[in-house]
Each structure stands twice: as C-alpha cells, then as structure tokens.
C-alpha cells in the first residue's frame, strides 16, 4: 500500500503534468512528453504510446527506452494483437506481473529491440468514451512490481493525456484547413500563367512541401499514350536524372497510384511490396503519401510527398490534405497545358479571340428609347467578361453582364461555353430574371472546372419605365436618376453561379424612366491598383466618377470612367478584365 505522503506527491505531479500537457503543444511535441511523464511518474524503465488510426489499427512511432532515449520506429498492431491490441479491443486496462507467462503477450518487439519486458501496465486512452489509443509503462525500476496505486496513477494520467492529444489533433486539423485554403487561393491565381510548365511545377512542388511540412517529393506528368509517368519537378532527385526516369503505370508506388487513380498512404515503405527497394534514389524516411492528378477523369499525373520534417510518419489527415490540394493542382496544370499549347501554336489563340469577338455584340439594338456606352478591355487577348443587350419584343430589352473567375484563355473558354448555354434558353426563361439565373446556375453547376460565374440580368420595360432584375454575386449596377446628383447601387443580391446546385434568385423592380442612366461593370475597374499596390481604385471613387460624367453622352462617360481609374492609380495596365456597359433611357 502506498503511504499518504507518496500519494500526495504523485497527485501533485499529476496536476503539474496536466498544466504542461494542456499547453498549446503540437502532437509531435506532446507524445514524447506524455511517455516521459508516465515513465517518471510510475518509476518505470520504458513507456510507449499507441494511437488508433482510422478506427482500424494502432500505431506507435516513438517509445521511451530504459535509458531515457527516444526509440523511433513505426510499429503497427491490429486490434486484439498483443497486450496493447487487447487493451484497445476490450477497452479495459491490463496489468501483468510477469509478461512472458501471459499468452496474450507478444515478445516480437523485445526480439527486435533487445529489451526484456518483465512487468507492465497498459491502459486505454478515451475522449468522451471514444477510444483514441493506449498508454503503456514497462518494468518498474529496481525489479519492483507495479501495484494497484500505480494503475490508478496511470489511469489518471491517461485521462489528461487523451484530452491533450485530442486538443492537439483539433488544432492540427484547423491549421491544415487554413493552409489548404491559402494554398488553393495561390493556385487559383496561377490558373493561367506565363511561367513555363517546368517553372510552374517547381513552384507548386515547393509550396506543397512547405504546407505539408516535408522536405522531398515529386510531381509526375502522365503520358497516357505510353502508359508511363515522367518527372515534371522533384526535390530529392537530381534534375539531370529527370529524363532517365520513367515509371510505367502499375509499377512502384507512383505507378500504382497512376493505374488505380487512388490516393495512397504508406506508413513504412520497407514493409510495402509496391516500394522498389532497388531504386537508386532512396527516401530518408519510411513514410510516403501520394495522390493522382485528375482533371475530368483524365489522368494528368501523380504527386508523391515523403520525408516529413518532424521525422514522424504521415497520417490520414495529411493524405486528405494532399488529395484536396491535388484536385486544385490538376486544374492549374491542365489550364497551364492548354494555355501554353495554344500560345505555342498561335492559331488557336486567334480562333479564341474571334469567338469572343462574336460573343461580344458589335452592334447593340438600335432604338429611339435607349443609347449605350461600352468599354471592354480584356487583360490578355481574350478574357472572361461578357455582356449583351437583346430586344425581346417591342417594349422589352434584356441586359446582361457577366464575369468568369480568373482571366485569360481558360476564362474565355468558360465564358464562351456559358454564353452558348444561355443563348439557347427558351423565350419564357429570358423574360424572367429569376428564372434566367436559376436555370443558368443549374446548367453550369459542375461544368466550370472549379471556377464560377457572377452575373447581373435585367429586363427593361420601355412602356412602364422600369427594370426588372436579378443578381448572381455580381457588383450591383449603379442607377443615376434624372435630377439626382449621385448614382445609387441597385439593391438586389444573390449567390454566384456554378458552385451550388438548386439556388433560387430573387428579382426586384426599379423605376427606369427618361433621362435615367444605368451603369453595369465588372470588378476589374474597382480593383485597379498602382504598380506598388499603395493606391487602389474602389467603388466609391467609381461612383464619384459616374457623377462627374453625368452630363456626357453614354460612350463619352464610359471612356471617362476608364480614364479616371487609370489617372487615379497612375497605371494604364489593369490586373483583370474590365467591362463597362452604360444604358441611357432617352
């Protein structure tokens, strides 16, 4: 029986341990501390901590040896295997006075390490009755035997440790999600880049390694004709060896991922038959994650990441992050391939430019009740903005302005597709802004390759001096009423198109009588910035410029709005497509 003074000292130690473990530690700092404290608290020679992975098996990467040294070797146990596996399966502690006399004990670890297990205590780790792993101490020092008090201390410590592990996991998941969103935003900006594909590959690989906390990896490109992978970018393989390395589909780790089109996590490469142990380029660590790069069911390549900087094995949360990154990476690579393919030939770029010129109406419908002003400046030769004015009947005119996310060729292709979709709408759909945008969203959902579309659509009624309109995530047009000094935005809102199914769009009616002016625009003008990014043209400045140009005819006002933006930031080069459509009611 433990004397009161010893018990008091132990529980004081537990309180101290609890405060340290529940500090803001990451998992890689936490696990060795838990084992160190459990070893010292129970005066044991060694300790180990196994975590439950994916509710399927237990794994241990770090154990604390009899001399206090860290023993790092990935070990995997099935539920029910050995004492640790049995504790996890039955969710009950096990204490053994003589391990080798118990048939449940598995001596294989002793054989590998040379350590001799005599007595032990192993307890489950719970978070709100959910098993997350096991904690074990081995051999009480000076040939003593663990007692019931030791079991109570370890159970108390396990409760503190489980909570700390859970908190660390939650923080890790949140950190990874933030990193993922940040990286996807960077990829979005690279949808079409003037960088060569090799330069782009190096940049992307470096960013992925940074975000995953790894030191080496490879991006392979697929040759579906030859059924093999070639290297686009790599860290850990000499660049002059890239051309010599070809991986047939189905061979090795990357070949398996290419053939199956499935993501893969390997905790210990030495134990996996897919790993080519004869490869001239060896991994420093034993763990690897890999994901296919797929665009609309087409295999573009494979990305493999290894050598985690922490020295630990990758886990399923790392694989989930890589899989999500790979999906966006595929879009970036495909867009880059298309961009360079078309730029290289020149002919297809001219063809795309001709298509976009046909989409943009060269002549707007002539009427004594309406006049127009237009400025359309694509960032590159082609862009993702488009607009349209169509006469529906004698009294009704439809107006549309839309903006595909991104710019350049990929945005132009999607803009052309979107325009063809809406041009085929039935007449009754075109007469209802709500039905028009609802139908367009339904038609575009899942077809924009991760991009989206914003749009404003309205019906001008000449007879009733009104405009009925709906908005899908687009900047609200400004309406400058006759006799008023300041333009006001039309208060109608809705979600962007192409990302969320089954949306409904509200529609509102505003008066639009003689002398009124409607100004539609895309965000390229209100996000115009100086080259040093110190000055930005915004909605308020744009609104003031509208007032300044109210006495000018529509086309002169459109030209003025462009010039005002350029003059304010001191730069004539816009960073995005710019479109202004002015409609005057005469």
């Amino acid at each position: 029986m433990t004397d009161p003074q010893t018990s008091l000292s132990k529980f004081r130690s537990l309180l101290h341990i609890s405060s340290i473990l529940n500090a803001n530690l990451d998992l890689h700092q936490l696990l060795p501390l838990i084992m160190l404290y459990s070893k010292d608290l129970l005066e044991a020679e060694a300790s180990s901590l196994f975590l439950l992975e994916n509710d399927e098996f237990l794994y241990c990467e770090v154990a604390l040896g009899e001399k206090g040294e860290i023993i790092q070797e990935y070990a995997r146990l099935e539920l029910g295997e050995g004492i640790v596996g049995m504790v996890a399966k039955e969710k009950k502690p096990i204490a053994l006075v003589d391990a080798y006399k118990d048939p449940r004990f598995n001596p294989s670890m002793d054989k590998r390490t040379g350590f001799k297990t005599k007595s032990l205590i192993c307890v489950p780790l719970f978070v709100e009755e959910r098993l997350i792993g096991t904690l074990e101490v081995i051999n009480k020092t000076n040939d003593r035997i663990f007692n019931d008090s030791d079991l109570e201390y370890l159970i108390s410590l396990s409760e503190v440790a489980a909570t700390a592990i859970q908190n660390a996991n939650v923080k890790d998941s949140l950190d990874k999600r933030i990193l993922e969103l940040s990286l996807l935003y960077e990829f979005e900006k690279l949808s079409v880049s003037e960088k060569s594909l090799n330069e782009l590959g190096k940049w992307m690989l470096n960013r992925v390694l940074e975000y995953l906390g790894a030191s080496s990896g490879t991006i392979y490109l697929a040759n579906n004709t030859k059924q093999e992978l070639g290297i686009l970018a790599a860290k850990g393989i000499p660049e002059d060896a890239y051309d010599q390395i070809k991986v047939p589909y189905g061979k090795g780790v990357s070949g398996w991922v290419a053939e199956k089109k499935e993501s893969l996590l390997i905790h210990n490469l030495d134990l996996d038959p897919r790993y080519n142990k004869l490869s001239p380029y060896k991994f420093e660590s034993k763990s690897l994650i890999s994901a296919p790069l797929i665009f609309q069911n087409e295999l573009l390549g494979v990305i493999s990441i290894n050598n985690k900087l922490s020295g630990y094995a990758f886990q399923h949360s790392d694989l989930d992050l890589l899989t999500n990154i790979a999906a966006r990476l595929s879009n970036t690579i495909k867009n880059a391939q298309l961009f360079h393919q078309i730029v290289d030939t020149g002919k297809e770029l001219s063809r795309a430019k001709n298509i976009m010129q046909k989409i943009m109406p060269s002549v707007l419908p002539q009427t004594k009740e309406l006049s127009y002003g237009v400025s359309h400046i694509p960032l590159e030769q082609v862009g993702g903005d488009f607009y349209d004015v169509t006469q529906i009947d004698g009294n009704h005119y439809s107006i549309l302005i839309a903006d595909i996310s991104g710019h350049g060729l990929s945005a132009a292709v999607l803009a052309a597709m979107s325009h063809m979709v809406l041009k085929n709408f039935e007449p009754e759909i075109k007469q209802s802004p709500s039905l028009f945008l609802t139908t367009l969203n339904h038609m575009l959902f899942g077809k924009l390759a991760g991009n989206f579309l914003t749009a404003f659509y309205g019906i001008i009624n000449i007879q009733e001096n009104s405009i009925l309109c709906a908005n899908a995530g687009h900047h609200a047009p400004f309406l400058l009423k006759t006799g008023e000094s300041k333009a006001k935005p039309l208060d109608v809102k809705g979600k962007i198109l192409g990302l969320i199914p089954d949306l409904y769009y509200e529609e509102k009616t505003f008066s639009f009588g003689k002398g009124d002016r409607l100004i539609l625009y895309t965000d390229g003008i209100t996000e115009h910035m100086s080259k040093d990014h110190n000055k930005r043209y915004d909605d308020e400045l744009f609104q003031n410029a509208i007032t300044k140009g109210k006495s000018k005819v529509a086309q002169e006002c459109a030209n003025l709005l462009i010039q005002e933006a350029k003059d304010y930031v001191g730069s004539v080069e816009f960073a995005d497509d710019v479109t202004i459509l002015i409609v005057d009611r005469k």
Side-chain angles (χ1 to χ4, degrees):
M1 182 175 177
T2 307
D3 66 86
Q5 190 63 37
T6 301
S7 296
L8 181 60
S9 175
K10 296 278 187 183
F11 281 109
R12 281 177 177 168
S13 296
L14 277 169
L15 287 173
H16 177 67
I17 291 168
S18 176
S19 65
I20 294 175
L21 296 186
N22 281 292
N24 197 18
L25 300 173
D26 65 42
L27 199 61
H28 302 136
Q29 296 171 312
L30 195 61
L31 299 184
L33 276 178
I34 291 171
M35 287 181 286
L36 175 66
Y37 287 135
S38 61
K39 175 178 174 288
D40 289 349
L41 184 68
L42 274 78
E43 302 170 63
E45 291 181 356
S47 61
S48 67
L49 193 155
F50 279 77
L51 293 178
L52 185 64
E53 172 74 357
N54 219 29
D55 292 329
E56 293 177 358
F57 61 88
L58 296 153
Y59 73 93
C60 171
E61 297 185 71
V62 176
L64 204 64
E66 58 182 324
K67 296 178 182 177
E69 76 277 15
I70 294 289
I71 302 169
Q72 186 162 4
E73 181 177 356
Y74 187 88
R76 170 176 170 147
L77 293 173
E78 301 298 326
L79 297 183
E81 181 183 353
I83 298 298
V84 168
M86 191 62 67
V87 168
K89 182 178 180 180
E90 297 183 352
K91 299 180 180 179
K92 295 179 181 179
I94 292 178
L96 299 181
V97 174
D98 189 338
Y100 277 83
K101 288 185 179 179
D102 193 296
R104 296 171 295 181
F105 177 69
N106 183 351
S108 60
M109 189 67 75
D110 280 8
K111 290 179 181 178
R112 289 213 308 270
T113 62
F115 185 84
K116 175 71 173 178
T117 300
K118 300 171 186 174
S119 58
L120 63 83
I121 302 176
C122 186
V123 298
L125 296 171
F126 291 109
V127 173
E128 297 179 351
E129 299 184 359
R130 181 173 63 86
L131 181 79
I132 67 165
T134 64
L135 179 60
E136 181 183 49
V137 290
I138 305 169
N139 296 355
K140 199 168 181 75
T141 56
N142 300 322
D143 291 324
R144 291 174 294 165
I145 302 298
F146 294 116
N147 56 33
D148 291 342
S149 295
D150 291 321
L151 178 58
E152 289 180 18
Y153 299 143
L154 192 61
I155 290 173
S156 297
L157 179 56
S158 73
E159 293 170 355
V160 174
T163 301
I165 290 169
Q166 178 70 1
N167 291 340
N169 278 327
V170 169
K171 178 180 178 294
D172 184 59
S173 297
L174 181 60
D175 288 345
K176 284 179 178 175
R177 181 58 180 157
I178 292 170
L179 291 174
E180 177 191 342
L181 291 173
S182 176
L183 188 59
L184 297 191
Y185 174 72
E186 292 187 36
F187 285 167
E188 175 65 32
K189 294 191 293 184
L190 283 172
S191 292
V192 176
S193 171
E194 294 183 2
K195 292 178 182 288
S196 71
L197 199 56
N198 287 334
E199 289 177 312
L200 198 61
K202 288 179 183 177
W203 184 92
M204 291 186 295
L205 180 60
N206 285 332
R207 299 301 285 147
V208 173
L209 290 173
E210 179 183 343
Y211 276 80
L212 283 167
S215 63
S216 60
T218 308
I219 297 178
Y220 299 91
L221 286 184
N223 185 326
N224 289 315
T225 303
K226 295 183 177 181
Q227 295 281 288
E228 66 181 20
L229 299 171
I231 294 178
L232 172 65
K235 273 289 189 71
I237 297 174
E239 196 165 342
D240 56 11
Y242 288 5
D243 292 338
Q244 305 165 24
I245 299 175
K246 304 296 177 186
V247 181
Y249 293 0
K251 299 292 185 182
V253 172
S254 300
W256 185 94
V257 172
E259 182 180 60
K260 301 293 184 182
K261 294 184 178 179
E262 296 176 13
S263 296
L264 179 64
L265 161 64
I266 299 178
H267 295 98
N268 191 331
L269 286 165
D270 287 341
L271 304 178
D272 196 290
R274 291 166 291 201
Y275 175 50
N276 179 12
K277 297 178 178 61
L278 300 178
S279 171
Y281 304 104
K282 298 296 182 183
F283 302 119
E284 295 171 19
S285 68
K286 305 295 184 181
S287 183
L288 174 144
I289 49 177
S290 186
L293 301 173
I294 298 173
F295 180 84
Q296 297 182 353
N297 293 322
E298 176 192 358
L299 179 72
L300 300 182
V302 170
I303 180 169
S304 292
I305 304 295
N306 52 281
N307 294 348
K308 204 169 182 179
L309 293 172
S310 66
Y312 287 75
F314 290 106
Q315 301 304 328
H316 279 282
S317 59
D318 298 307
L319 184 64
D320 290 342
L321 179 56
L322 181 65
T323 302
N324 292 337
I325 289 172
R328 189 63 219 178
L329 194 60
S330 302
N331 289 336
T332 305
I333 289 175
K334 186 63 176 180
N335 286 338
Q337 288 177 331
L338 289 171
F339 178 77
H340 288 293
Q341 176 185 346
I342 290 173
V343 168
D344 289 345
T345 62
K347 296 178 182 178
E348 291 301 322
L349 187 60
S350 297
R351 190 179 302 172
K353 186 177 180 181
N354 291 336
I355 290 172
M356 292 307 295
Q357 286 173 342
K358 291 177 182 177
I359 286 176
M360 302 299 180
S362 56
V363 179
L364 298 175
Q366 297 300 307
T367 169
K368 62 182 181 179
E369 289 89 1
L370 300 175
S371 62
Y372 316 98
V374 177
S375 288
H376 174 63
I377 309 170
L379 176 63
E380 300 170 22
Q381 292 190 52
V382 290
D385 288 1
F386 60 97
Y387 64 93
D388 193 24
V389 179
T390 303
Q391 184 171 6
I392 298 176
D393 56 38
N395 290 317
H396 296 88
Y397 293 80
S398 68
I399 54 171
L400 168 73
I401 190 164
D403 182 6
I404 284 281
S405 61
H407 47 77
L409 181 63
S410 63
V413 170
L414 294 173
M417 182 192 75
S418 303
H419 192 266
M420 285 188 288
V421 166
L422 62 88
K423 274 296 183 183
N424 290 320
F425 281 174
E426 298 296 325
E428 59 269 22
I429 294 176
K430 295 179 182 178
Q431 291 174 13
S432 166
S434 174
L435 184 58
F436 180 92
L437 292 181
T438 299
T439 306
L440 184 57
N441 182 63
H442 175 75
M443 298 291 287
L444 294 180
F445 174 68
K447 297 181 176 65
L448 296 182
N451 291 68
F452 58 85
L453 179 72
T454 68
F456 174 89
Y457 182 74
I459 306 291
I460 297 173
N461 188 324
I462 299 298
Q463 187 174 18
E464 296 182 1
N465 293 321
S466 67
I467 176 170
L468 175 68
C469 54
N471 195 341
H474 200 81
H475 279 271
F478 285 102
L479 179 61
L480 181 60
K481 301 288 292 179
T482 182
E484 294 185 1
S485 61
K486 191 167 186 178
K488 296 178 181 177
L490 295 184
D491 183 23
V492 57
K493 299 179 177 66
K495 302 289 187 183
I496 58 179
L497 298 158
L499 290 184
I500 305 171
D502 305 324
L503 289 177
Y504 173 78
Y505 293 87
E506 68 167 349
E507 57 185 25
K508 289 185 179 181
T509 301
F510 300 88
S511 66
F512 189 54
K514 292 183 178 181
D516 292 348
R517 170 171 286 176
L518 184 67
I519 303 94
L520 302 91
Y521 65 101
T522 58
D523 59 9
I525 190 164
T526 53
E527 294 179 357
H528 188 34
M529 299 183 73
S530 59
K531 291 184 178 180
D532 60 9
H533 287 205
N534 285 330
K535 294 186 75 175
R536 173 182 165 176
Y537 198 69
D538 58 22
D539 291 289
E540 185 176 355
L541 291 167
F542 183 67
Q543 189 176 13
N544 293 337
I546 292 171
T547 302
K548 184 177 180 181
K550 68 178 183 177
S551 62
K552 297 181 180 294
V553 298
Q555 187 57 57
E556 288 179 355
C557 182
N559 296 339
L560 171 71
L561 295 178
I562 294 293
Q563 193 60 48
E564 286 283 311
K566 292 178 178 178
D567 290 345
Y568 180 79
V569 303
S571 174
V572 298
E573 295 179 0
F574 291 97
D576 197 359
D577 305 324
V578 174
T579 301
I580 295 174
L581 170 61
I582 296 178
V583 183
D584 278 355
R585 177 77 169 86
K586 296 190 292 184

